[in-house]
Every structure is written in structure tokens, then in C-alpha cells.
Amino acid sequence: MAAILGCIADDFTGGTDLAGMLVKHGMRTVQMIGVPQTERCPADVDAVVIALKSRTNPASEAVRESLAALRWLQEAGCKQFYFKYCSTFDSTPQGNIGPVAEALMDALGTDFTIACPAFPANRRTIYQGYLFVGDVLLNESGMRHHPLTPMTDANLVRVLQAQVKRRVGLIDYGTVSQGSGVIDERFAALRKEGCGFAVVDALSNRDLAEIGAACASLPLVTAGSGLAVGLPENFRRKGLLAGDVVADALPATGGLRAVIAGSCSTATQGQVARMRERHPAFQVDPVKLAGGSDVAAAALEWAAERVGKEPVLIYATSAPEAVREVQAQFGAARAGELVEEALAAVARGLVELGVGQMIVAGGETSGAVVKALGIKGLRIGPEIDPGVPWTVALQTGTTHERPLALALKSGNFGTPDFFLKAWSYFS
Ligand code: ADP
């Protein structure tokens, strides 16, 4: 069976979040990094998430990329499409949620969709069209100070209406609480009234399951990752999704083990400290990098002697004072770039040394590593800790012959023993 659900996420970690949710609810999922150029969709997947970096691009660029992603997903055979944005509806008055959603509707020839960023597990709920973050309204949460997408209005009907040409209506909790049949009737009523969008209230995963069921025949849904709770069941009911597959199964990977840490977030600091107590560790010094020394080569020479025996750690992670000092000396952007380049070179070298299972800590660091390794997509496997699954890089035939397992960890995710316990999946 070919892929049935095609998703477009407006950023990378948001894409991973959605992919992980789909796997958890029984869909075999791959995440493609950017719009694939020459890559084809693997045959044995149920859902594909194309992760873009379009949240804060100019709207016209976000639209262009999203339409290119849609075309690829259509060619891959997908039947329903999911535009995934952040559960805090991160956008500016110009977009990009509204313009991208409308462009996708036009391309799919549909006149109606929903907007539902609710993610109750992370305490993002919607009531009377107002988005709550925990127990405060969106505009009273930290999001009002976001540097790129400050959210100063919690009323999603108003926020979305400012971004779109079509009318925006509301499906309130009174309707949602009556279940999928009544929600579906309300879709029809809103459509008749001339609405192109329905903001939908949701307080719990049970609500999302009902909303998901009501969305069975919509060509397009727009939502946070929460709605992934409700869609897989529709495909199962239609016989499009096998009930007996293990959605998080990964191809076997062997090889040596290494951790690369370029995050200085609190969680990563603790994880680095824990791993250093047990295994050999090499610190990448930004000052030496700035001085022109080939630190990556030194790290790889060091690793070559040790990685055959046990997992090794190569890290740039430093305490906040040290990072501030380096940033004051070289500039934050330059320091970040130097470290990312070095760690990316280390990742390439480690794979050449025979590493087949690798953990990377840090969002930007992960981006740099994936790019350096020429990885175009990831098959999503079991979750190690919330939001961090094991994945296996899709083979492109040009990058590496041996399957490579990767855990790409956002800086602040994971328990203190993450770098020690993650391997147990393979043993
Ligand atoms: P996180 O997910 O924790 O935000 P990222 O990898 O996204 O981690 O960002 C961390 C940034 O800090 C990267 O650009 C990285 O290169 C940079 N960095 C890492 N170590 C140091 C250091 N010791 N001094 C300065 N910058 C550093």
C-alpha cells in the first residue's frame, strides 16, 4: 500500500512531533527534510510528513514551498492532506498559516477545512475559539513576547480571519461535545453560510478523536499535531490501514555508537555530565576553532581509538558563562556556525569510522549534521523520551551504504540518562 496521509509541517521539530504522533497511533511514517527533489516515497509507509522551514518566511515563499510539497505528496498517492502548524498558532498578521491554507485549498479544489491547533497533552486547548496555553489565554502567555511571531490575540477566529479571504466560522464546545456526527452536520451548516474555515474547540484527546472522525472526508485539515490522534482510525475503518503492522518498526542497524552534543540547554548539560561519568568524552573548544585549529580532525583521531570499544561523546556543550564569553569574543552567530561546522564534520567522520547509531543533541546542530550527511528523510521509530524517537535515515544510494540510526534531540528534551538509556532499544 502507498502512503495515504500527506502532511506538510511548517518547521522541522513540528514535523517530527507530528510524525511521532502518527506512529504512536499506528501509521508507519517517514519525515522528509524539505521538499524532496529526486527521492521517491518508500512503498511501505502510511503517512509522509514533509518538514519545511516556512513558518516565518515571506508568505509567498511559504506558499510556493507548500504547494511543491503538496504536489510531491499527491504523486506519492496520498489521499488526504494535513497542514501542520504550531499548537500556539505561531503566525504574523500576514501569515503564514492563512495564506498557505488557502493556497492548499485552491490547489485541492476544496472550499472548506478546519483550523484546530489544540494539543491537550501539552495543555493547549480551545474554548469558544479562544486558545489557552495552560490556564492562561494565548495573549497572556509567553507567546506575546515571541521575537518572530508575537501572539497578542487569543481569539483564533479573529486571528485567522485577518489572514484569509474566505469567511471563518466557529464550532464551539457545545457542538464538539456531542460527537462526530453533530460536528459533521455543523461543517455542512457553516459551508452553507459561506464559511471556508471552521475554528474548532477542543479540550481533550477524546474531543480530537471525535473531530478527527468528522474530518474523514475533508481533503485538507489544518491543525497542530494533536489532531493526529483522530485521523488514523478513519483510514482503519476504510480498510486503508492494516491493523496488524508494527508502525514503529525500524530496519536493523548495526555499527558503533556515538553522541554529538552541540546544545547548551540545561537538559543537555545534565545528559553530557552523566555520559562523561561512564564513557570517554572529547570537548570541542570554540576558541581553538576560531583560531583556525582543525578540532574536528583531532576529535576524530581521538574517537578512532575508542569508538570500537564503547559509545563516545563529542560535545561543545558548555555552561552559560563560558558560552557568553565565547559569544562576546566572536559573536553569537559566528561562534554557533563554527561549532556547527565542526560537529557536522565530526558526524561525517564518525560514520566513516563505522558509527551506525548516533544521537545528536541540539536543534540547529541536528540540522547541520543531517545536511552534512546528505540525509533526505527519516523513517520514524519508537519514542525514547517524549518528542524524541529513534529514526533510521532513508537510503538515498549516494550517501552511506550502512543503515544509520539517528536520534535527533531538541536541546531541552530527555531525561538526564538519555545518552545512556537510548541504546537499550538496539540491545
Ligand atoms: P538547542 O536545541 O539546545 O537550542 P541548538 O543546536 O539548536 O541547541 O543550538 C545551540 C547553538 O549553540 C548551536 O549553534 C551551537 O553551534 C552553539 N554552541 C554550542 N556550543 C557552544 C559553545 N561552547 N559556545 C558557543 N556556542 C556554542
Side-chain angles (χ1 to χ4, degrees):
M1 276 197 269
I4 41 183
L5 180 65
C7 313
I8 302 166
D10 67 356
D11 86 336
F12 184 82
T13 46
T16 310
D17 176 17
L18 174 59
M21 293 279 276
L22 291 168
V23 166
K24 234 191 257 179
H25 289 85
M27 297 186 88
R28 296 165 300 171
T29 305
V30 293
Q31 177 176 2
M32 306 303 293
I33 300 158
V35 181
Q37 300 300 315
T38 51
E39 292 74 34
R40 311 265 311 252
C41 184
D44 56 343
V45 299
D46 306 306
V48 184
V49 179
I50 296 185
L52 302 177
K53 249 180 136 175
S54 58
R55 184 169 296 165
T56 52
N57 284 358
S60 58
E61 233 170 80
V63 163
R64 191 159 31 86
E65 275 189 37
S66 305
L67 289 175
L70 175 68
R71 275 192 296 276
W72 189 90
L73 292 167
Q74 284 175 311
E75 275 166 31
C78 297
K79 304 279 180 270
Q80 188 177 37
F81 301 90
Y82 189 137
F83 172 35
K84 150 75 173 76
Y85 37 73
C86 189
S87 62
T88 42
F89 213 68
D90 299 15
S91 51
T92 67
Q94 289 74 44
N96 292 336
I97 294 176
V100 168
E102 288 205 298
L104 294 173
M105 289 168 84
D106 291 342
L108 288 165
T110 179
D111 62 354
F112 186 80
T113 187
I114 64 157
C116 184
F119 190 5
N122 276 359
R123 302 187 70 213
R124 269 66 155 161
T125 54
I126 308 170
Y127 188 71
Q128 300 298 346
Y130 285 82
L131 179 57
F132 288 82
V133 176
D135 45 17
V136 298
L137 285 164
L138 174 66
N139 57 301
E140 293 171 16
S141 76
M143 279 306 295
R144 72 181 183 281
H145 299 306
H146 192 283
L148 302 174
T149 52
M151 300 303 288
T152 54
D153 187 359
N155 185 310
L156 295 180
V157 175
R158 251 188 332 244
V159 172
L160 183 57
Q161 191 65 78
Q163 299 179 20
V164 295
K165 296 189 211 83
R166 292 169 174 85
R167 264 183 65 199
V168 181
L170 171 68
I171 299 188
D172 68 12
Y173 196 69
T175 302
V176 171
S177 63
Q178 294 179 67
S180 61
V182 181
I183 299 170
D184 194 28
E185 281 167 22
R186 186 79 185 120
F187 284 173
L190 282 177
R191 238 174 170 146
K192 249 198 204 137
E193 289 168 27
C195 287
F197 289 90
V199 168
V200 190
D201 282 356
L203 303 181
S204 66
N205 276 351
R206 205 181 48 236
D207 298 335
L208 288 168
E210 294 295 332
I211 296 165
C215 290
S217 56
L218 296 184
L220 174 72
V221 296
T222 86
S225 60
L227 191 70
V229 165
L231 295 183
E233 196 49 39
N234 296 336
F235 301 119
R236 223 167 268 129
R237 260 198 299 270
K238 288 183 194 162
L240 294 170
L241 192 59
D244 55 352
V245 293
V246 182
D248 66 1
L250 288 176
T253 55
L256 309 173
R257 295 172 174 176
V259 179
I260 293 181
S263 155
C264 299
S265 299
T266 315
T268 304
Q269 304 228 23
Q271 290 153 353
V272 164
R274 275 287 186 93
M275 183 157 177
R276 283 182 49 192
E277 289 169 8
R278 294 265 204 95
H279 297 292
F282 182 101
Q283 184 165 20
V284 169
D285 180 356
V287 178
K288 283 194 189 150
L289 282 173
S293 124
D294 193 347
V295 181
L300 288 167
E301 202 174 304
W302 171 91
E305 287 170 19
R306 295 164 176 86
V307 71
K309 298 180 203 105
E310 58 183 316
V312 298
L313 166 66
I314 294 173
Y315 67 104
T317 312
S318 287
E321 318 79 72
V323 174
R324 267 196 298 274
E325 215 171 281
V326 165
Q327 288 179 335
Q329 211 176 332
F330 307 105
R334 179 79 191 123
E337 214 176 294
L338 279 169
V339 171
E340 282 168 37
E341 265 171 34
L343 293 181
V346 166
R348 249 195 330 254
L350 285 172
V351 169
E352 277 162 23
L353 286 174
V355 167
Q357 296 167 352
M358 184 151 73
I359 300 171
V360 186
E364 294 298 325
T365 308
S366 295
V369 166
V370 158
K371 195 165 167 211
L373 293 175
I375 291 168
K376 308 289 189 221
L378 303 164
R379 183 176 292 270
I380 308 295
E383 198 171 60
I384 306 164
D385 268 332
V388 202
W390 269 116
T391 70
V392 169
L394 295 183
Q395 304 286 110
T396 60
T398 53
T399 45
H400 32 260
E401 300 97 50
R402 186 183 313 108
L404 175 65
L406 277 172
L408 304 174
K409 190 190 78 73
S410 183
N412 254 332
F413 284 11
T415 57
D417 59 347
F418 187 93
F419 296 162
L420 302 173
K421 75 176 180 188
W423 314 114
S424 67
Y425 168 73
F426 301 106
S427 351

mmCIF file of all heavy atoms in Angstrom, residues 289-334:
data_model
loop_
_atom_site.group_PDB
_atom_site.id
_atom_site.type_symbol
_atom_site.label_atom_id
_atom_site.label_comp_id
_atom_site.label_asym_id
_atom_site.label_seq_id
_atom_site.Cartn_x
_atom_site.Cartn_y
_atom_site.Cartn_z
ATOM 1 N N LEU A 289 38.722 26.574 17.616
ATOM 2 C CA LEU A 289 38.123 26.606 16.271
ATOM 3 C C LEU A 289 38.340 27.966 15.641
ATOM 4 O O LEU A 289 38.746 28.076 14.476
ATOM 5 C CB LEU A 289 36.611 26.343 16.353
ATOM 6 C CG LEU A 289 36.146 24.904 16.532
ATOM 7 C CD1 LEU A 289 34.641 24.872 16.753
ATOM 8 C CD2 LEU A 289 36.511 24.077 15.298
ATOM 9 N N ALA A 290 38.060 29.012 16.429
ATOM 10 C CA ALA A 290 38.185 30.375 15.911
ATOM 11 C C ALA A 290 39.643 30.678 15.567
ATOM 12 O O ALA A 290 39.921 31.472 14.657
ATOM 13 C CB ALA A 290 37.654 31.376 16.933
ATOM 14 N N GLY A 291 40.555 30.015 16.263
ATOM 15 C CA GLY A 291 41.980 30.213 15.981
ATOM 16 C C GLY A 291 42.445 29.424 14.759
ATOM 17 O O GLY A 291 43.622 29.467 14.398
ATOM 18 N N GLY A 292 41.563 28.693 14.143
ATOM 19 C CA GLY A 292 41.897 28.007 12.895
ATOM 20 C C GLY A 292 42.388 26.581 13.083
ATOM 21 O O GLY A 292 42.769 25.911 12.116
ATOM 22 N N SER A 293 42.337 26.068 14.327
ATOM 23 C CA SER A 293 42.854 24.704 14.511
ATOM 24 C C SER A 293 41.804 23.678 14.054
ATOM 25 O O SER A 293 40.601 23.899 14.176
ATOM 26 C CB SER A 293 43.286 24.552 15.977
ATOM 27 O OG SER A 293 42.651 23.487 16.571
ATOM 28 N N ASP A 294 42.292 22.575 13.490
ATOM 29 C CA ASP A 294 41.374 21.556 12.947
ATOM 30 C C ASP A 294 40.902 20.636 14.078
ATOM 31 O O ASP A 294 41.368 19.507 14.241
ATOM 32 C CB ASP A 294 42.069 20.754 11.847
ATOM 33 C CG ASP A 294 41.072 19.917 11.048
ATOM 34 O OD1 ASP A 294 39.913 19.780 11.507
ATOM 35 O OD2 ASP A 294 41.441 19.393 9.984
ATOM 36 N N VAL A 295 39.952 21.151 14.837
ATOM 37 C CA VAL A 295 39.471 20.436 16.019
ATOM 38 C C VAL A 295 38.710 19.169 15.613
ATOM 39 O O VAL A 295 38.783 18.151 16.296
ATOM 40 C CB VAL A 295 38.585 21.369 16.885
ATOM 41 C CG1 VAL A 295 38.100 20.645 18.123
ATOM 42 C CG2 VAL A 295 39.354 22.625 17.274
ATOM 43 N N ALA A 296 38.021 19.237 14.485
ATOM 44 C CA ALA A 296 37.259 18.062 14.032
ATOM 45 C C ALA A 296 38.215 16.897 13.771
ATOM 46 O O ALA A 296 37.941 15.754 14.186
ATOM 47 C CB ALA A 296 36.456 18.392 12.781
ATOM 48 N N ALA A 297 39.326 17.181 13.120
ATOM 49 C CA ALA A 297 40.301 16.117 12.834
ATOM 50 C C ALA A 297 40.851 15.536 14.135
ATOM 51 O O ALA A 297 40.991 14.313 14.275
ATOM 52 C CB ALA A 297 41.428 16.657 11.963
ATOM 53 N N ALA A 298 41.127 16.418 15.094
ATOM 54 C CA ALA A 298 41.648 15.952 16.391
ATOM 55 C C ALA A 298 40.613 15.069 17.088
ATOM 56 O O ALA A 298 40.944 14.021 17.656
ATOM 57 C CB ALA A 298 42.009 17.148 17.263
ATOM 58 N N ALA A 299 39.344 15.493 17.021
ATOM 59 C CA ALA A 299 38.268 14.726 17.665
ATOM 60 C C ALA A 299 38.148 13.341 17.024
ATOM 61 O O ALA A 299 37.962 12.338 17.719
ATOM 62 C CB ALA A 299 36.948 15.479 17.547
ATOM 63 N N LEU A 300 38.279 13.294 15.714
ATOM 64 C CA LEU A 300 38.118 12.022 15.012
ATOM 65 C C LEU A 300 39.296 11.082 15.288
ATOM 66 O O LEU A 300 39.110 9.871 15.436
ATOM 67 C CB LEU A 300 37.944 12.269 13.505
ATOM 68 C CG LEU A 300 36.567 12.869 13.159
ATOM 69 C CD1 LEU A 300 36.539 13.388 11.732
ATOM 70 C CD2 LEU A 300 35.450 11.835 13.374
ATOM 71 N N GLU A 301 40.487 11.656 15.381
ATOM 72 C CA GLU A 301 41.665 10.846 15.713
ATOM 73 C C GLU A 301 41.478 10.238 17.111
ATOM 74 O O GLU A 301 41.743 9.066 17.342
ATOM 75 C CB GLU A 301 42.892 11.756 15.697
ATOM 76 C CG GLU A 301 44.202 11.016 15.501
ATOM 77 C CD GLU A 301 45.338 12.012 15.343
ATOM 78 O OE1 GLU A 301 45.254 12.884 14.443
ATOM 79 O OE2 GLU A 301 46.268 11.942 16.157
ATOM 80 N N TRP A 302 41.002 11.072 18.020
ATOM 81 C CA TRP A 302 40.712 10.624 19.384
ATOM 82 C C TRP A 302 39.657 9.517 19.367
ATOM 83 O O TRP A 302 39.799 8.475 20.011
ATOM 84 C CB TRP A 302 40.240 11.847 20.193
ATOM 85 C CG TRP A 302 39.690 11.536 21.550
ATOM 86 C CD1 TRP A 302 40.381 11.477 22.729
ATOM 87 C CD2 TRP A 302 38.325 11.246 21.873
ATOM 88 N NE1 TRP A 302 39.534 11.172 23.755
ATOM 89 C CE2 TRP A 302 38.261 11.024 23.259
ATOM 90 C CE3 TRP A 302 37.148 11.150 21.131
ATOM 91 C CZ2 TRP A 302 37.078 10.709 23.919
ATOM 92 C CZ3 TRP A 302 35.965 10.841 21.781
ATOM 93 C CH2 TRP A 302 35.939 10.623 23.161
ATOM 94 N N ALA A 303 38.578 9.756 18.576
ATOM 95 C CA ALA A 303 37.458 8.807 18.549
ATOM 96 C C ALA A 303 37.876 7.467 17.944
ATOM 97 O O ALA A 303 37.429 6.398 18.402
ATOM 98 C CB ALA A 303 36.291 9.392 17.761
ATOM 99 N N ALA A 304 38.738 7.517 16.934
ATOM 100 C CA ALA A 304 39.126 6.294 16.220
ATOM 101 C C ALA A 304 39.699 5.248 17.187
ATOM 102 O O ALA A 304 39.513 4.049 16.996
ATOM 103 C CB ALA A 304 40.138 6.623 15.131
ATOM 104 N N GLU A 305 40.376 5.711 18.228
ATOM 105 C CA GLU A 305 40.996 4.780 19.181
ATOM 106 C C GLU A 305 40.004 4.219 20.191
ATOM 107 O O GLU A 305 40.306 3.258 20.897
ATOM 108 C CB GLU A 305 42.102 5.498 19.956
ATOM 109 C CG GLU A 305 43.327 5.745 19.108
ATOM 110 C CD GLU A 305 44.307 6.680 19.812
ATOM 111 O OE1 GLU A 305 44.213 6.831 21.050
ATOM 112 O OE2 GLU A 305 45.117 7.278 19.097
ATOM 113 N N ARG A 306 38.857 4.845 20.312
ATOM 114 C CA ARG A 306 37.943 4.455 21.404
ATOM 115 C C ARG A 306 36.596 3.895 20.968
ATOM 116 O O ARG A 306 36.003 3.077 21.664
ATOM 117 C CB ARG A 306 37.699 5.681 22.300
ATOM 118 C CG ARG A 306 38.962 6.132 23.004
ATOM 119 C CD ARG A 306 38.819 7.537 23.568
ATOM 120 N NE ARG A 306 40.016 7.893 24.319
ATOM 121 C CZ ARG A 306 41.111 8.422 23.779
ATOM 122 N NH1 ARG A 306 41.152 8.669 22.484
ATOM 123 N NH2 ARG A 306 42.168 8.709 24.531
ATOM 124 N N VAL A 307 36.094 4.386 19.821
ATOM 125 C CA VAL A 307 34.696 4.107 19.474
ATOM 126 C C VAL A 307 34.441 2.617 19.205
ATOM 127 O O VAL A 307 33.300 2.154 19.308
ATOM 128 C CB VAL A 307 34.245 5.002 18.290
ATOM 129 C CG1 VAL A 307 34.916 4.579 16.988
ATOM 130 C CG2 VAL A 307 32.742 5.049 18.155
ATOM 131 N N GLY A 308 35.490 1.859 18.901
ATOM 132 C CA GLY A 308 35.310 0.425 18.674
ATOM 133 C C GLY A 308 34.954 -0.324 19.949
ATOM 134 O O GLY A 308 34.400 -1.422 19.902
ATOM 135 N N LYS A 309 35.254 0.293 21.100
ATOM 136 C CA LYS A 309 35.056 -0.418 22.371
ATOM 137 C C LYS A 309 33.784 -0.022 23.089
ATOM 138 O O LYS A 309 33.160 -0.825 23.771
ATOM 139 C CB LYS A 309 36.241 -0.145 23.297
ATOM 140 C CG LYS A 309 37.554 -0.639 22.721
ATOM 141 C CD LYS A 309 38.715 -0.345 23.669
ATOM 142 C CE LYS A 309 40.028 -0.304 22.903
ATOM 143 N NZ LYS A 309 40.563 1.038 22.688
ATOM 144 N N GLU A 310 33.400 1.251 22.985
ATOM 145 C CA GLU A 310 32.215 1.732 23.735
ATOM 146 C C GLU A 310 31.708 3.021 23.098
ATOM 147 O O GLU A 310 32.408 3.634 22.285
ATOM 148 C CB GLU A 310 32.591 1.981 25.207
ATOM 149 C CG GLU A 310 33.713 2.992 25.382
ATOM 150 C CD GLU A 310 34.119 3.182 26.832
ATOM 151 O OE1 GLU A 310 33.208 3.284 27.673
ATOM 152 O OE2 GLU A 310 35.329 3.229 27.105
ATOM 153 N N PRO A 311 30.504 3.472 23.458
ATOM 154 C CA PRO A 311 29.993 4.730 22.903
ATOM 155 C C PRO A 311 30.900 5.896 23.290
ATOM 156 O O PRO A 311 31.419 5.924 24.400
ATOM 157 C CB PRO A 311 28.619 4.887 23.572
ATOM 158 C CG PRO A 311 28.247 3.530 24.032
ATOM 159 C CD PRO A 311 29.531 2.825 24.348
ATOM 160 N N VAL A 312 31.095 6.811 22.360
ATOM 161 C CA VAL A 312 31.899 8.004 22.677
ATOM 162 C C VAL A 312 31.020 9.249 22.584
ATOM 163 O O VAL A 312 30.005 9.261 21.893
ATOM 164 C CB VAL A 312 33.103 8.169 21.719
ATOM 165 C CG1 VAL A 312 34.050 6.994 21.850
ATOM 166 C CG2 VAL A 312 32.645 8.357 20.272
ATOM 167 N N LEU A 313 31.468 10.282 23.294
ATOM 168 C CA LEU A 313 30.744 11.557 23.299
ATOM 169 C C LEU A 313 31.668 12.653 22.786
ATOM 170 O O LEU A 313 32.791 12.797 23.278
ATOM 171 C CB LEU A 313 30.315 11.880 24.739
ATOM 172 C CG LEU A 313 29.842 13.316 25.023
ATOM 173 C CD1 LEU A 313 28.538 13.629 24.288
ATOM 174 C CD2 LEU A 313 29.643 13.529 26.528
ATOM 175 N N ILE A 314 31.185 13.389 21.802
ATOM 176 C CA ILE A 314 31.925 14.573 21.355
ATOM 177 C C ILE A 314 30.983 15.757 21.535
ATOM 178 O O ILE A 314 29.878 15.762 20.995
ATOM 179 C CB ILE A 314 32.399 14.402 19.898
ATOM 180 C CG1 ILE A 314 33.434 13.260 19.870
ATOM 181 C CG2 ILE A 314 33.016 15.696 19.370
ATOM 182 C CD1 ILE A 314 33.891 12.843 18.521
ATOM 183 N N TYR A 315 31.408 16.720 22.327
ATOM 184 C CA TYR A 315 30.459 17.767 22.713
ATOM 185 C C TYR A 315 31.085 19.152 22.716
ATOM 186 O O TYR A 315 32.284 19.311 22.953
ATOM 187 C CB TYR A 315 29.903 17.456 24.113
ATOM 188 C CG TYR A 315 30.927 17.561 25.226
ATOM 189 C CD1 TYR A 315 30.933 18.662 26.083
ATOM 190 C CD2 TYR A 315 31.879 16.566 25.414
ATOM 191 C CE1 TYR A 315 31.877 18.758 27.097
ATOM 192 C CE2 TYR A 315 32.815 16.657 26.423
ATOM 193 C CZ TYR A 315 32.816 17.751 27.263
ATOM 194 O OH TYR A 315 33.754 17.849 28.262
ATOM 195 N N ALA A 316 30.240 20.142 22.416
ATOM 196 C CA ALA A 316 30.651 21.548 22.530
ATOM 197 C C ALA A 316 29.903 22.193 23.694
ATOM 198 O O ALA A 316 30.165 23.348 24.039
ATOM 199 C CB ALA A 316 30.344 22.289 21.238
ATOM 200 N N THR A 317 28.982 21.447 24.247
ATOM 201 C CA THR A 317 28.147 21.891 25.365
ATOM 202 C C THR A 317 28.997 22.558 26.452
ATOM 203 O O THR A 317 29.986 21.973 26.904
ATOM 204 C CB THR A 317 27.435 20.662 25.969
ATOM 205 O OG1 THR A 317 26.870 19.918 24.893
ATOM 206 C CG2 THR A 317 26.376 21.051 26.972
ATOM 207 N N SER A 318 28.627 23.778 26.815
ATOM 208 C CA SER A 318 29.355 24.485 27.878
ATOM 209 C C SER A 318 28.350 25.168 28.785
ATOM 210 O O SER A 318 27.196 25.367 28.414
ATOM 211 C CB SER A 318 30.255 25.563 27.287
ATOM 212 O OG SER A 318 31.365 24.990 26.664
ATOM 213 N N ALA A 319 28.845 25.574 29.945
ATOM 214 C CA ALA A 319 27.996 26.304 30.890
ATOM 215 C C ALA A 319 27.686 27.695 30.325
ATOM 216 O O ALA A 319 28.457 28.212 29.521
ATOM 217 C CB ALA A 319 28.712 26.421 32.222
ATOM 218 N N PRO A 320 26.569 28.302 30.763
ATOM 219 C CA PRO A 320 26.155 29.592 30.199
ATOM 220 C C PRO A 320 27.245 30.676 30.242
ATOM 221 O O PRO A 320 27.410 31.411 29.274
ATOM 222 C CB PRO A 320 24.957 29.994 31.070
ATOM 223 C CG PRO A 320 24.447 28.719 31.643
ATOM 224 C CD PRO A 320 25.593 27.769 31.721
ATOM 225 N N GLU A 321 28.022 30.733 31.337
ATOM 226 C CA GLU A 321 29.056 31.794 31.421
ATOM 227 C C GLU A 321 30.088 31.607 30.318
ATOM 228 O O GLU A 321 30.502 32.572 29.660
ATOM 229 C CB GLU A 321 29.816 31.783 32.759
ATOM 230 C CG GLU A 321 29.002 31.553 34.022
ATOM 231 C CD GLU A 321 28.661 30.095 34.243
ATOM 232 O OE1 GLU A 321 29.574 29.328 34.584
ATOM 233 O OE2 GLU A 321 27.481 29.710 34.075
ATOM 234 N N ALA A 322 30.493 30.348 30.110
ATOM 235 C CA ALA A 322 31.520 30.071 29.096
ATOM 236 C C ALA A 322 30.984 30.420 27.706
ATOM 237 O O ALA A 322 31.704 30.988 26.879
ATOM 238 C CB ALA A 322 31.924 28.607 29.169
ATOM 239 N N VAL A 323 29.715 30.085 27.467
ATOM 240 C CA VAL A 323 29.117 30.379 26.163
ATOM 241 C C VAL A 323 29.067 31.891 25.953
ATOM 242 O O VAL A 323 29.441 32.399 24.888
ATOM 243 C CB VAL A 323 27.705 29.768 26.052
ATOM 244 C CG1 VAL A 323 27.026 30.201 24.759
ATOM 245 C CG2 VAL A 323 27.766 28.251 26.132
ATOM 246 N N ARG A 324 28.657 32.606 26.996
ATOM 247 C CA ARG A 324 28.576 34.074 26.887
ATOM 248 C C ARG A 324 29.942 34.677 26.559
ATOM 249 O O ARG A 324 30.057 35.576 25.741
ATOM 250 C CB ARG A 324 28.023 34.672 28.182
ATOM 251 C CG ARG A 324 26.490 34.853 28.144
ATOM 252 C CD ARG A 324 26.010 35.777 29.239
ATOM 253 N NE ARG A 324 26.309 35.262 30.568
ATOM 254 C CZ ARG A 324 25.535 34.406 31.241
ATOM 255 N NH1 ARG A 324 24.415 33.980 30.714
ATOM 256 N NH2 ARG A 324 25.871 33.985 32.450
ATOM 257 N N GLU A 325 30.968 34.145 27.191
ATOM 258 C CA GLU A 325 32.325 34.655 26.969
ATOM 259 C C GLU A 325 32.751 34.464 25.511
ATOM 260 O O GLU A 325 33.247 35.376 24.871
ATOM 261 C CB GLU A 325 33.279 33.888 27.897
ATOM 262 C CG GLU A 325 34.413 34.734 28.434
ATOM 263 C CD GLU A 325 35.149 33.953 29.500
ATOM 264 O OE1 GLU A 325 34.647 33.878 30.651
ATOM 265 O OE2 GLU A 325 36.202 33.391 29.163
ATOM 266 N N VAL A 326 32.497 33.245 25.025
ATOM 267 C CA VAL A 326 32.844 32.938 23.627
ATOM 268 C C VAL A 326 32.041 33.826 22.679
ATOM 269 O O VAL A 326 32.578 34.361 21.703
ATOM 270 C CB VAL A 326 32.570 31.434 23.342
ATOM 271 C CG1 VAL A 326 32.550 31.159 21.859
ATOM 272 C CG2 VAL A 326 33.609 30.570 24.033
ATOM 273 N N GLN A 327 30.762 34.004 23.008
ATOM 274 C CA GLN A 327 29.905 34.812 22.127
ATOM 275 C C GLN A 327 30.342 36.270 22.127
ATOM 276 O O GLN A 327 30.321 36.938 21.094
ATOM 277 C CB GLN A 327 28.442 34.701 22.571
ATOM 278 C CG GLN A 327 27.853 33.341 22.242
ATOM 279 C CD GLN A 327 26.413 33.191 22.691
ATOM 280 O OE1 GLN A 327 25.985 33.876 23.614
ATOM 281 N NE2 GLN A 327 25.680 32.304 22.052
ATOM 282 N N ALA A 328 30.770 36.767 23.298
ATOM 283 C CA ALA A 328 31.226 38.153 23.385
ATOM 284 C C ALA A 328 32.491 38.321 22.538
ATOM 285 O O ALA A 328 32.695 39.352 21.897
ATOM 286 C CB ALA A 328 31.500 38.519 24.838
ATOM 287 N N GLN A 329 33.319 37.298 22.510
ATOM 288 C CA GLN A 329 34.587 37.379 21.789
ATOM 289 C C GLN A 329 34.399 37.277 20.272
ATOM 290 O O GLN A 329 35.016 38.027 19.531
ATOM 291 C CB GLN A 329 35.485 36.238 22.274
ATOM 292 C CG GLN A 329 36.950 36.581 22.228
ATOM 293 C CD GLN A 329 37.764 35.428 22.825
ATOM 294 O OE1 GLN A 329 37.285 34.671 23.676
ATOM 295 N NE2 GLN A 329 38.994 35.281 22.363
ATOM 296 N N PHE A 330 33.535 36.346 19.827
ATOM 297 C CA PHE A 330 33.446 36.076 18.380
ATOM 298 C C PHE A 330 32.081 36.414 17.775
ATOM 299 O O PHE A 330 31.905 36.315 16.568
ATOM 300 C CB PHE A 330 33.750 34.594 18.104
ATOM 301 C CG PHE A 330 35.035 34.129 18.698
ATOM 302 C CD1 PHE A 330 35.049 33.332 19.829
ATOM 303 C CD2 PHE A 330 36.248 34.530 18.146
ATOM 304 C CE1 PHE A 330 36.238 32.912 20.389
ATOM 305 C CE2 PHE A 330 37.454 34.118 18.709
ATOM 306 C CZ PHE A 330 37.445 33.306 19.840
ATOM 307 N N GLY A 331 31.114 36.786 18.595
ATOM 308 C CA GLY A 331 29.741 36.989 18.111
ATOM 309 C C GLY A 331 28.989 35.670 18.196
ATOM 310 O O GLY A 331 29.575 34.612 17.902
ATOM 311 N N ALA A 332 27.710 35.728 18.590
ATOM 312 C CA ALA A 332 26.937 34.501 18.808
ATOM 313 C C ALA A 332 26.781 33.712 17.508
ATOM 314 O O ALA A 332 26.936 32.484 17.473
ATOM 315 C CB ALA A 332 25.571 34.844 19.392
ATOM 316 N N ALA A 333 26.499 34.423 16.408
ATOM 317 C CA ALA A 333 26.243 33.734 15.145
ATOM 318 C C ALA A 333 27.507 33.027 14.660
ATOM 319 O O ALA A 333 27.470 31.854 14.265
ATOM 320 C CB ALA A 333 25.757 34.724 14.094
ATOM 321 N N ARG A 334 28.637 33.744 14.720
ATOM 322 C CA ARG A 334 29.904 33.172 14.232
ATOM 323 C C ARG A 334 30.299 31.966 15.086
ATOM 324 O O ARG A 334 30.709 30.920 14.566
ATOM 325 C CB ARG A 334 30.992 34.257 14.275
ATOM 326 C CG ARG A 334 32.359 33.806 13.827
ATOM 327 C CD ARG A 334 32.467 33.749 12.305
ATOM 328 N NE ARG A 334 33.694 33.063 11.878
ATOM 329 C CZ ARG A 334 33.708 31.991 11.088
ATOM 330 N NH1 ARG A 334 32.592 31.452 10.662
ATOM 331 N NH2 ARG A 334 34.856 31.460 10.712
#
